[in-house]
Amino acid sequence: DGSRNSLDVLTNIIKQPLKNHAKKDGKKASGSTFPLTRPLICICNDQYAPALRELIKLADVFVFTAPKDVRLIARLRQVCKSENLTISNSNFISELCGATGYDIRASINNLQFAALKSSQEKQRDAEVLSGGQGAAKSTTWGSQFGPTTTSVASKDANDKGLDIG
């Protein structure tokens, strides 16, 4: 969160020795901490922020560039295909990526949210059709998803970018 205390805690965890020598009579001494034995991954938008100077000295820094718009859209289509999600609006993924500023994490998160909303809407619709007490279907990003099963013809059309609703 960028506060000084959380950064101090992180740097203290990283600086711990690999072996905990603070044992007394086979028991852990009070106040001793255990060393970090797994990778610690921190994500930031500005690696040159003054608050991060101490942490950066202790870390391996990986800088990633944003993917091209076309590549992100193609990858999200591939994710939808592998998750058996069909999209009724052929422009939906492009619109989603544009709404997130082509940010990979935000696009995937919003795609997951939309798929979940679609699943919930389908469940509500099934309840309404079966006479249950479901809420009326609302128009959300979740409603952009079609049925999860596709025929061979519609699958081929989707691969070519055609909209078969």
Side-chain angles (χ1 to χ4, degrees):
D1 67 2
S3 73
R4 189 73 244 159
N5 286 338
S6 60
L7 292 172
D8 288 341
V9 169
L10 283 175
T11 55
N12 288 337
I13 290 171
I14 293 169
K15 288 180 179 180
Q16 288 295 314
L18 287 178
K19 296 204 180 226
N20 189 0
H21 296 291
K23 290 185 178 180
K24 193 176 195 177
D25 298 330
K27 296 182 181 177
K28 184 178 85 128
S30 62
S32 67
T33 59
F34 290 96
L36 179 67
T37 58
R38 294 187 174 99
L40 178 65
I41 299 173
C42 300
I43 300 171
C44 71
N45 292 328
D46 181 11
Q47 72 183 44
Y48 301 108
L52 298 176
R53 281 191 193 127
E54 186 65 28
L55 187 59
I56 295 242
K57 291 177 190 175
L58 304 169
D60 289 329
V61 177
F62 298 92
V63 178
F64 296 95
T65 57
K68 297 203 181 287
D69 303 349
V70 175
R71 187 167 180 206
L72 177 59
I73 292 168
R75 182 64 176 145
L76 290 179
R77 287 184 196 277
Q78 183 181 11
V79 167
C80 289
K81 185 176 178 180
S82 70
E83 294 293 326
N84 296 321
L85 296 172
T86 57
I87 300 173
S88 59
N89 177 353
S90 61
N91 293 323
F92 171 70
I93 290 181
S94 298
E95 292 169 3
L96 181 140
C97 291
T100 61
Y102 295 91
D103 179 274
I104 297 170
R105 292 173 291 165
S107 296
I108 290 172
N109 189 30
N110 284 321
L111 183 62
Q112 181 181 11
F113 176 73
L116 176 65
K117 292 299 278 181
S118 174
S119 173
Q120 290 171 346
E121 287 173 1
K122 287 177 189 174
Q123 189 173 18
R124 266 198 315 262
D125 290 348
E127 288 175 7
V128 168
L129 291 175
S130 66
Q133 296 293 326
K137 184 176 179 180
S138 62
T139 303
T140 64
W141 278 9
S143 65
Q144 298 300 318
F145 290 95
T148 57
T149 58
T150 58
S151 67
V152 173
S154 66
K155 185 176 181 182
D156 289 341
N158 283 338
D159 289 344
K160 294 175 184 169
L162 302 174
D163 183 21
I164 296 182

